[in-house]
Amino acid sequence: MKRLIYFGVLAFALWTGAGMAQNGPLRIEITDGVIEPLTFAVPMFEAENIEAVTIATEMSRIVATDLSSSGLFREVPPSRFIAQRSSFDEPVRYPDWRAINTQALVTAAVKTNSFGRLTVKFRIFDIYSGVQLGSGMQLSGSTKAVRRMAHKVADQVYARITGEGPYFDSKIVFVSESGPKDQRLKRLAIMDYDGENLQFLTGNENTVLAPRVSQDGKQVLYTSWETGFPQIYLLNVSSAARKRLPTPDNGMAFSPRFSPDAKRVVYSFEQGGNTDIYLLDIASARSARMTSSPSIDTAPSFSPDGRTIVFESDRSGTQQLYVMPVTGGAPKRISFGNGRYGTPVWSPRGDLIAFTKQSNGRFGIGVMRTDGSEERLLSASFLDEGPSWSPNGRVIMFTRETQGPKGAPSLYSVDISGRNLRAMNLRSPASDPSWGPVLP
Amino acid sequence: MVTANARARSVRPRSRPTPHTAPAPEPLETDAETPQVVPVTAALNAALMAGDATPVAAEAATAPLAEQFIRGMQLAVAECWNLGALSSAALSTIVVVEMELTLDAKPVANSIKMLGYEGGDDISAERAFETALRAIRGCGAQGFELPKDQYATWRRVELTFNPEKMRVR
């Protein structure tokens, strides 16, 4: 309330201020600024023992790469550094960093012990303000987890400076593809957010589609043609054990997604040419029908509070997005733009819904408010589809497929501002990303 | 596997809208001849002594600042107000910042405070304030273009940073 009063008084003062003698402070409103990546420097981490030298070098590069990859930061290359740091506790020479237009500085020191433990301590400095941000942090872990430790450091820097949640220390499950376009072999794979540490979760004997990671990152739902028909499977990420979910036998089950607590699964079931949305309680193995329309209702996704789903349906004559309570009720259409909308996914922050839009012969990824307002397209190409949110709700990853007989899918990411469109650097074609949570 | 042993965040703002003093132990980088803040009356006297001590000059000292100077300061700060690394929530937060200027129109480092904010939570406000702080310090280090004979009118400045036009959603 005090804040509102303050702003009311301020507005009155601004309104009446022109042309009058001035008693209080000079009041100025700044409404224009610049949108540029924040410049940062990461001097090579100090190695506190000889065994940590290689690790220190590797970690400092990973941290710098993570921050740059977000598109919100731009690295000042070490070749431009004036200040040469000799120890972690050495005072920061702010003028030297200002002189090379560095806005944020990350310093760190790394040490290992004979038990295979790695400790990294780090500090973040705001160069223009001439202060350290926060009191510094220390992380410890296995020397086998150097990349993860570096991602954790980058996450803390990113979160402290931007105010967004972290996302670098996370994994992505996707469909790894190989072979000619008309005979693609598809299997599930998992990798770090930056494409490293690729591992396969299934063989390529059965085509798989649309993996969806649970909110705790421990399980994956996917659709497989193992029985000759699409059916839904549940896979344990650590053991790779899998089981078919108990969906009805007399039709095709596909497009599954977990509820936020991973106790229920919402999915599509096709029978006799009609596709509706069902809700499966995993423990009781009971499915309940959620929609009953003579149309194709598919691609359901839960809101983060688990109370609502968004899905696509052609019940209006064209493919559009609808929301409805999980407890039942009439679906409400939320997309009204020109074109067809599909594959909606609720943001983990709950504020936006990402979708695929087909319009004028092109496909793009967009976002809108959960009531359908403020629609914005973030990408467009021959074929962009299947958005998946980063755990902090700031970045969207999706599949982009190139045109022609040699066309192949690959993974791209884009900031929700529409900036920083980037291709993932993977060795083979990839599709259907599903971004998991930040690891503990 | 990995554990955080220290605090995840820095000190947060106190209950709003209590003025928030920038944690700035280090003074702004200025040349050795930078004058310190002087009381208004002393500044006025100095200005009057330096020029014609006439009623016209006295009126100038209290008259509203000409639009060109206000616009100039707006542009100068805006040039350094970089919102590129702000969270979506901080981009929806308006912060009001107060500062004091020296006679050569440079911000006094420890005078920059957040008076209040609107539209976000404490953390968003703190991030938005830090961005404003960088703008003021980055582009104010050399001094703003302001008329010395009107020091009384701009010695204290209240800046409202409103990112509405810069918002991405």
Side-chain angles (χ1 to χ4, degrees), chain A residues 403-423:
Chain A
Q403 201 169 0
K406 290 187 177 176
S410 52
L411 303 186
Y412 275 70
S413 64
V414 65
D415 188 87
I416 58 165
S417 63
R419 292 184 289 272
N420 198 37
L421 178 70
R422 301 169 68 92

Side-chain angles (χ1 to χ4, degrees), chain B:
Chain B
M1 183 193 295
V2 180
T3 53
N5 296 329
R7 293 190 322 172
R9 298 183 182 285
S10 66
V11 178
R12 305 220 171 92
R14 292 180 297 274
S15 60
R16 54 198 185 230
T18 308
H20 179 111
T21 306
E26 188 174 273
L28 273 182
E29 199 185 356
T30 55
D31 58 60
E33 293 176 8
T34 301
Q36 297 303 303
V37 177
V38 292
V40 182
T41 48
L44 282 173
N45 287 340
L48 290 169
M49 293 291 281
D52 294 332
T54 62
V56 175
E59 278 174 23
T62 54
L65 198 60
E67 182 62 29
Q68 71 188 79
F69 294 113
I70 294 173
R71 185 71 188 134
M73 192 166 177
Q74 274 175 329
L75 290 172
V77 176
E79 201 177 313
C80 287
W81 189 35
N82 182 6
L83 304 158
L86 265 190
S87 69
S88 311
L91 273 171
S92 298
T93 307
I94 300 170
V95 291
V96 181
V97 176
E98 184 187 57
M99 66 174 171
E100 226 169 272
L101 297 176
T102 61
L103 190 55
D104 54 356
K106 294 178 183 175
V108 177
N110 291 321
S111 74
I112 307 171
K113 299 167 186 168
M114 180 163 66
L115 291 180
Y117 65 88
E118 187 181 67
D121 58 16
D122 286 0
I123 293 172
S124 306
E126 190 175 1
R127 295 296 95 81
F129 173 59
E130 286 169 358
T131 304
L133 203 55
R134 280 183 214 119
I136 292 167
R137 291 185 165 168
C139 281
Q142 302 307 314
F144 297 105
E145 294 274 335
L146 293 166
K148 284 191 176 172
D149 61 350
Q150 285 191 274
Y151 181 56
T153 62
W154 52 259
R155 184 179 68 89
R156 283 173 53 229
V157 184
E158 203 172 277
L159 293 152
T160 300
F161 288 86
N162 183 349
E164 189 178 353
K165 278 167 63 179
M166 310 295 292
R167 211 168 290 155
V168 293
R169 61 185 180 86

Side-chain angles (χ1 to χ4, degrees), chain A residues 18 25 27 90 109 155 184-185 218 274 320 337 347 363 384 434:
Chain A
R27 293 192 170 96
E90 179 185 306
D155 269 335
R184 266 297 145 68
L185 298 173
K218 294 178 179 173
N274 183 36
Q320 300 293 337
S347 154
F363 286 77
D384 286 353
S434 179

